[in-house]
Amino acid sequence: MTERVFVDKQHPRAYQALLDVAKAARAAAREAGLDRGLVELVNLRVSQLNRCAYCLALHTEALHKLGETRLAVLPAWDETDLFSPVESAALRLAESLTTLPDTAAQDAAYAQAAEVLTPDQLSAVEWVIVTINAFNRVSIGSRHPVTGLSA
């Protein structure tokens, strides 16, 4: 296999710009009244869908530090009543904007999210989704190694 270029290291200014967008997205979420746990749930769910091992490890660790206990059921979040309406709306939107289903399915996910999220919250969640998808592509394309996992 050909060794991958770590694009974040090869072009650090571009990567720093992505980090700045992610920081702004987290700030927008916080200002819209969304807590860090919800942001990390969205980050983890998107990373699950994209199969980004590096980001899965990173966001699982972050959620563990926040005391999150529902990680085992996150892939089936919509089959449980363990997630709040706001969390469910954010996760549904995350799946829709990551998998890019047909327009009708996207519209349905957005309409459901708009029932429980304010316009500021909708926008903030979408920015979180956009940034984690971008980070997933950076890590997948670069084949960032997963290291330092705690048992």
Side-chain angles (χ1 to χ4, degrees):
M1 175 171 60
T2 303
E3 190 169 323
R4 300 289 181 107
V5 171
F6 285 13
V7 298
D8 49 328
K9 306 294 186 221
Q10 193 71 30
H11 289 99
R13 286 187 309 175
Y15 187 69
Q16 184 59 55
L18 182 56
L19 289 171
D20 291 343
V21 171
K23 184 177 178 181
R26 285 191 308 273
R30 187 175 50 255
E31 292 163 8
L34 301 172
D35 67 28
R36 182 62 188 237
L38 179 127
V39 169
E40 290 300 334
L41 282 172
V42 167
N43 286 338
L44 184 60
R45 184 65 187 128
V46 169
S47 298
Q48 288 172 338
L49 294 169
N50 288 327
R51 298 176 45 88
C52 180
Y54 181 85
C55 294
L56 285 167
L58 181 74
H59 297 291
T60 297
E61 187 71 23
L63 283 160
H64 281 303
K65 287 180 181 175
L66 292 172
E68 180 58 62
T69 60
R70 302 170 293 175
L71 299 185
V73 296
L74 186 57
W77 65 268
D78 58 343
E79 301 294 329
T80 76
D81 60 358
L82 298 175
F83 296 88
S84 74
V86 169
E87 290 169 331
S88 294
L91 292 168
R92 183 173 289 106
L93 194 57
E95 289 183 358
S96 175
L97 294 177
T98 299
T99 61
L100 298 175
D102 62 81
T103 303
Q106 285 181 6
D107 289 346
Y110 193 89
Q112 289 173 328
E115 289 177 12
V116 296
L117 298 173
T118 68
D120 279 346
Q121 290 173 329
L122 267 169
S123 179
V125 168
E126 285 191 51
W127 276 110
V128 169
I129 295 163
V130 166
T131 58
I132 189 58
N133 269 291
F135 281 116
N136 286 170
R137 270 95 181 133
V138 167
S139 290
I140 291 167
S142 298
R143 294 260 167 89
H144 287 154
V146 177
T147 60
L149 283 179
S150 58

